[in-house]
């Protein structure tokens, strides 16, 4: 159904994200049970793993699967390949923005997605005390390309997405 909203959740599972795995899991689970939304769950460190087909519960899945390597946000290129209708797609990138791969490639993919009409939200990692912990310079460069970046609780995120899909 081309009118159905698509949410592609891209979760950084690199070693630097260990403190925010619970936050990431809860964030991913918000959209999972909503039948009106086609949800995808993709995790990455230096590799990209699409968990969509194997996932019945994102919290359980993300707590069980720990990659823990370096960071290469090439997962965004993969997420872009999943987009069916850009104007009805939200990509949620849960990361600390500490990119170990190509920053230019990440920015190019961000630009292409935003220009095509995809709503891109970079969710800054929250540590175990719910304080934002991320590379603010790279996050700002993505904002300059029309992405949104924020540090928000799952409840704030749900309200943000509800506003976008209205």
């Amino acid at each position: 159904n081309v009118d159905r909203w698509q949410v592609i959740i891209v979760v950084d599972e690199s070693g630097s994200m260990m403190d925010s795995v619970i936050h990431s899991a809860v964030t991913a689970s918000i959209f999972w049970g909503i039948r009106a939304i086609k949800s995808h769950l993709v995790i990455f460190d230096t590799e990209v793993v699409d968990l969509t087909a194997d996932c019945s519960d994102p919290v359980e899945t993300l707590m069980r699967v720990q990659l823990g390597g370096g960071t290469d946000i090439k997962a965004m290129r993969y997420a872009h390949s999943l987009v069916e209708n850009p104007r009805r797609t939200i990509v949620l990138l849960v990361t600390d923005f500490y990119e170990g791969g190509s920053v230019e490639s990440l920015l190019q993919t961000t630009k292409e997605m935003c220009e095509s009409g995809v709503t891109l939200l970079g969710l800054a990692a929250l540590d175990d005390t719910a304080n934002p912990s991320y590379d603010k310079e790279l996050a700002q460069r993505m904002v300059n390309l029309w992405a949104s970046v924020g540090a928000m609780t799952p409840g704030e995120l749900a309200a943000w997405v509800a506003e976008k899909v209205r």
Side-chain angles (χ1 to χ4, degrees), residues 38-94:
K38 180 176 185 177
S39 298
H40 303 268
L41 179 60
V42 177
I43 63 172
F44 70 94
D45 57 3
T46 55
E47 300 301 315
V48 179
V49 182
D50 189 331
L51 297 173
T52 304
D54 304 319
C55 185
S56 56
D57 176 0
V59 173
E60 183 183 310
T61 301
L62 289 171
M63 296 305 285
R64 197 177 62 235
V65 179
Q66 292 294 310
L67 297 177
T71 308
D72 183 347
I73 312 180
K74 65 185 173 199
M76 290 299 284
R77 286 193 296 279
Y78 177 76
H80 196 191
S81 77
L82 297 174
V83 173
E84 294 167 8
N85 178 351
R87 301 216 176 282
R88 292 186 76 80
T89 300
I90 296 172
V91 174
L92 298 173
L93 171 63
V94 183

